């Protein structure tokens, strides 16, 4: 069963869905989840929540602030640490629902929010289990891997000029999330990013918008979930990493897993970053369900 929900979070109303198993007669273990970089909940989070419900798990799914149906200004700006705080607001909201067993709460994140799941798992003692799927674990390292060396200097100067303009009270600058021209301006300058976002917008998420503030890139470069992964223990952690992931680069994810303390588990998927939502969905969702069932079950 799916219900539209909304809750307050640091002055913004965040909106999403509460999923519960159809046959639930008592409070159920519940997973809190949001999407990755600029994506909205219609971009396959409903599929994951449906799979969780079939396995007896509830889900609190929400759009990140400034995106989708959630409030927040400036629109299309991503502050990763604010998104982490919003995960924690969502946990607090989940605790208020009679359908939720507040003593059995998990967090799940994917891509950018895969890093958020790591960070929330390290900081919030209410979290009983963590699944981090195809995660970004080091924003600066990722930026250097995605942006060519002969271009990154120009990007840094654009960021500096945007900061000066905002100091003068001017509107923030924006850039596309993806571009058909892989040498053009884009936050995610890869072919698979362009194909997945544009195709998914057409098929599932017409409300997704292809832009983020330039400040978003600066904030990403300051974000390093890997620095917190050792603090997750003793909360159980499973990382799901795609073998051919060159977007949230796999080597950084594998290194982050090695830094984590027990109890932990790793699942590797065939394919690239976006296969976790499509061709590899069954394997990715099953990996999460099995981990949650093991650690949040009766």
């Amino acid at each position: 069963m799916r219900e539209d929900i909304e809750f307050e979070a640091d002055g913004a109303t965040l909106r999403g869905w509460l999923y519960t198993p159809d046959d639930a007669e008592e409070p159920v273990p519940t997973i809190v989840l949001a999407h990755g970089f600029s994506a909205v909940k219609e971009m396959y989070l409903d599929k994951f929540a449906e799979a969780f419900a079939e396995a007896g798990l509830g889900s609190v799914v929400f759009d990140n602030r400034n995106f989708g149906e959630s409030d927040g200004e400036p629109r299309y700006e991503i502050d990763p640490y604010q998104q982490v705080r919003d995960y924690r607001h969502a946990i607090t909201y989940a605790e208020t629902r009679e359908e939720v067993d507040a003593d059995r709460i998990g967090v799940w994140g994917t891509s950018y929010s895969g890093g958020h799941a790591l960070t929330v798992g390290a900081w919030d003692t209410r979290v009983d289990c963590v699944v981090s799927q195809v995660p970004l674990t080091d924003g600066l390292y990722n930026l250097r891997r995605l942006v060519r060396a002969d271009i990154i200097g120009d990007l840094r100067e654009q960021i500096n000029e945007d900061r000066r303009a905002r100091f003068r009270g001017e509107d923030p600058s924006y850039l596309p999330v993806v571009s058909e021209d892989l040498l053009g301006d884009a936050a995610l300058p890869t072919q698979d990013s362009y194909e997945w976002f544009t195709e998914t917008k057409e098929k599932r998420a017409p409300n997704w918008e292809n832009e983020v503030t330039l400040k978003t890139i600066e904030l990403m470069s300051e974000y390093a979930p890997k620095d917190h992964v050792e603090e997750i223990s003793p909360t159980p952690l499973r990382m799901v990493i795609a073998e051919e992931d060159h977007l949230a680069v796999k080597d950084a994810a594998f290194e982050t897993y090695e830094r984590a303390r027990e109890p932990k588990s790793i699942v590797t998927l065939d394919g690239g970053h976006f296969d976790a939502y499509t061709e590899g969905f069954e394997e990715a969702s099953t990996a999460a369900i099995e981990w949650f069932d093991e650690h949040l079950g009766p």
Side-chain angles (χ1 to χ4, degrees):
M1 182 173 67
R2 188 174 93 179
E3 174 189 342
D4 291 340
I5 61 170
E6 62 180 43
F7 56 93
E8 295 305 306
D10 285 341
T13 300
L14 306 186
R15 298 181 177 87
W17 303 312
L18 173 68
Y19 281 81
T20 52
D22 290 338
D23 58 352
E25 297 180 354
E26 58 186 19
V28 295
T30 298
I31 315 306
V32 174
L33 58 155
H35 222 311
F37 192 94
S38 87
V40 294
K41 62 186 184 300
E42 290 82 3
M43 290 172 146
Y44 295 98
L45 290 196
D46 49 345
K47 285 188 63 178
F48 280 94
E50 288 165 4
F52 294 166
E54 290 176 6
L57 300 165
S59 295
V60 170
V61 186
F62 65 99
D63 275 327
N64 288 304
R65 73 171 58 222
N66 307 337
F67 291 88
E69 296 181 341
S70 289
D71 293 344
E73 297 289 341
R75 297 302 290 175
Y76 316 121
E77 181 161 286
I78 305 171
D79 180 338
Y81 286 109
Q82 182 62 67
Q83 291 188 347
V84 166
R85 291 191 290 273
D86 289 340
Y87 256 88
R88 302 182 74 180
H89 289 306
I91 292 170
T92 303
Y93 169 76
E95 291 179 314
T96 70
R97 296 295 303 236
E98 62 182 12
E99 301 93 336
V100 173
D101 184 341
D103 293 322
R104 293 186 289 169
I105 289 180
V107 292
W108 179 97
T110 184
S111 193
Y112 211 11
S113 70
H116 302 349
L118 297 175
T119 308
V120 175
W123 290 355
D124 200 314
T125 57
R126 297 172 296 175
V127 175
D128 300 296
C129 190
V130 177
V131 174
S132 174
Q133 175 179 284
V134 293
L136 177 139
T137 61
D138 186 335
L140 182 58
Y141 179 76
N142 222 77
L143 184 65
R144 288 171 172 163
R145 287 286 295 271
L146 288 176
V147 180
R148 285 172 27 192
D150 59 335
I151 296 176
I152 198 166
D154 291 340
L155 176 61
R156 290 185 182 280
E157 183 51 39
Q158 290 177 44
I159 290 171
N160 291 338
E161 183 53 41
D162 175 64
R163 178 177 283 278
R164 297 182 189 108
R166 287 185 284 108
F167 184 80
R168 296 191 296 265
E170 298 175 16
D171 291 338
S173 297
Y174 287 80
L175 79 166
V177 178
V178 295
S179 173
E180 187 174 12
D181 178 6
L182 299 184
L183 297 180
D185 286 341
L188 305 178
T190 67
Q191 182 66 32
D192 58 346
S193 298
Y194 173 76
E195 292 174 356
W196 186 82
F197 274 100
T198 55
E199 291 173 4
T200 307
K201 176 181 175 65
E202 181 179 353
K203 294 177 180 178
R204 300 179 59 89
N207 62 333
W208 176 76
E209 297 294 339
N210 186 23
E211 61 178 349
V212 290
T213 63
L214 196 55
K215 182 181 176 182
T216 291
I217 307 305
E218 182 179 26
L219 293 171
M220 182 177 74
S221 72
E222 300 169 353
Y223 187 47
K226 67 173 186 176
D227 292 343
H228 311 296
V229 71
E230 295 177 14
E231 304 161 22
I232 296 173
S233 177
T235 303
L237 165 67
R238 170 164 282 182
M239 292 180 66
V240 181
I241 301 173
E243 288 279 11
E244 300 174 25
D245 196 339
H246 55 260
L247 184 62
V249 287
K250 64 179 181 181
D251 51 322
F254 283 122
E255 289 172 9
T256 298
Y257 177 77
E258 291 302 319
R259 294 176 61 169
R261 297 191 177 106
E262 299 287 351
K264 64 180 182 178
S265 170
I266 190 168
V267 173
T268 56
L269 305 177
D270 292 333
H273 186 81
F274 296 101
D275 289 319
Y277 311 109
T278 53
E279 289 86 351
F281 169 78
E282 191 68 29
E283 186 177 1
S285 60
T286 298
I289 289 166
E290 290 177 348
W291 193 246
F292 288 134
D293 185 57
E294 178 178 351
H295 295 285
L296 300 179

